[in-house]
Amino acid sequence: MLLNIVIFIVGLVILSWSADRFVYGASALAKNIGISPMMIGLTIVAMGSSAPEIVVSAIASANGNMNTAVGNALGSNITNVALVLGITALVKPLIVSSITLKRELPALLIISLIAIGFMFDGELKSYEGIILLGLFIFVLAMMAWLSLQVDKEDPLVAETAGEIPKNVSTTSAMIWIGVGLVILPLSAHFMVNSAVEIARYLGISDLIIGLTIIALGTSLPELAASIAGVLKGEDDLALGNIIGSNIFNLLAVLGMPGLIAPGMLDPDVYNRDMYVMLGLTLLLFLFSFDLIGKRTISRPNGFLLVACFIGYQFWLFG
């Protein structure tokens, strides 16, 4: 048991590091070949924040742990909104001023409803996984198009430009991409296997391990990035990372088990977890969306989100 805990923690650290290096290399390479910082931020960086979840989901699905992968997708979204955004708002209230984000929020809500529609019958089918992954490619293309249309005065433009690596040679960028592509799946493999062993030892289901330990572990880098972002005044970028990550979790992470290991879902998925995720997505929408001017996600909002996360954990283990 102790060895599996150590393997899980080491695997998580290496997974997070390799995902960061992959995004670093891909962003630097994109900049070197002339892609705009806004396009890099809305596609490569946004997708990179979900890279650990995507790889973990693929490995878990390939190993036959379909509900672990589904739990990872839903649990990561729940953790991102309730814990990551909640704690970030407690540290410093977020001012939502980017028009780009106000376009992405309705998209997140629509995608959440599509995902719930697919899970509603208690089964994730192969064609549903294909549709989700197809939508993932479509959303990436739309984000790339939006990056070309965005107003140069949008605060997200300056915040995104500040996060793109500078003065990185193309050779170094390609080396980091290669490192990420090799180490990401290896670390995910050890992390998933150790998590499954921990679940068996504790007598909990594959779904619960995905919803809690794996989801929390893969969301910790986003928590650190979000807090660092708001402390630097990059509120829109911090929130944008969470919205983008949640969109990609529902499309790419949830699409993996549908494509690789379609089958019956744990009943708790369609009786409990997907509704918790939808409820938190609606809260995020209400806290963030304003037709005119700016909207603040306040400390009381953050307290409510963290309280929801704690209550959900008691529900899972009660």
Side-chain angles (χ1 to χ4, degrees), residues 66-266:
M66 179 247 206
N67 281 296
T68 299
V70 173
N72 181 28
L74 298 182
S76 292
N77 277 24
I78 290 167
T79 302
N80 281 347
V81 175
L83 186 67
V84 174
L85 184 60
I87 290 178
T88 303
L90 287 174
V91 171
K92 181 179 175 289
L94 289 87
I95 298 173
V96 187
S97 54
S98 172
I99 298 298
T100 304
L101 296 187
K102 291 173 183 177
R103 290 172 180 162
E104 289 185 13
L105 276 166
L108 173 59
L109 187 56
I110 292 168
I111 290 167
S112 298
L113 292 171
I114 292 171
I116 286 174
F118 286 166
M119 294 183 286
F120 195 77
D121 62 355
E123 185 179 2
L124 198 56
K125 305 176 184 69
S126 57
Y127 77 84
E128 291 170 338
I130 293 170
I131 290 172
L132 290 172
L133 290 168
L135 285 172
F136 171 63
I137 296 170
F138 174 76
V139 166
L140 274 178
M142 284 301 298
M143 286 184 169
W145 179 80
L146 279 174
S147 71
L148 301 176
Q149 311 301 318
V150 70
D151 185 345
K152 301 302 181 185
E153 300 301 317
D154 191 313
L156 192 59
V157 174
E159 292 176 15
T160 301
E163 295 299 311
I164 306 303
K166 299 177 179 63
N167 302 319
V168 180
S169 70
T170 299
T171 301
S172 295
M174 293 181 70
I175 289 172
W176 283 122
I177 292 171
V179 167
L181 289 174
V182 171
I183 298 181
L184 261 170
L186 283 175
S187 55
H189 170 75
F190 286 107
M191 183 180 161
V192 169
N193 285 351
S194 60
V196 170
E197 291 300 320
I198 293 168
R200 289 174 181 165
Y201 181 85
L202 296 176
I204 59 179
S205 67
D206 287 350
L207 174 65
I208 295 292
I209 203 74
L211 287 166
T212 55
I213 296 176
I214 293 179
L216 182 61
T218 53
S219 293
L220 285 177
E222 277 142 343
L223 175 59
S226 295
I227 292 174
V230 295
L231 290 177
K232 291 190 291 183
E234 298 173 345
D235 297 24
D236 288 307
L237 186 61
L239 181 57
N241 285 340
I242 291 173
I243 296 171
S245 177
N246 281 18
I247 288 174
F248 293 149
N249 286 342
L250 290 175
L251 298 179
V253 181
L254 190 61
M256 286 296 177
L259 183 67
I260 299 172
M264 301 303 295
L265 298 167
D266 187 307

Side-chain angles (χ1 to χ4, degrees), residues 298-312:
S298 64
R299 284 194 173 93
N301 295 154
F303 179 81
L304 175 60
L305 291 172
V306 173
C308 288
F309 181 80
I310 294 171
Y312 177 62

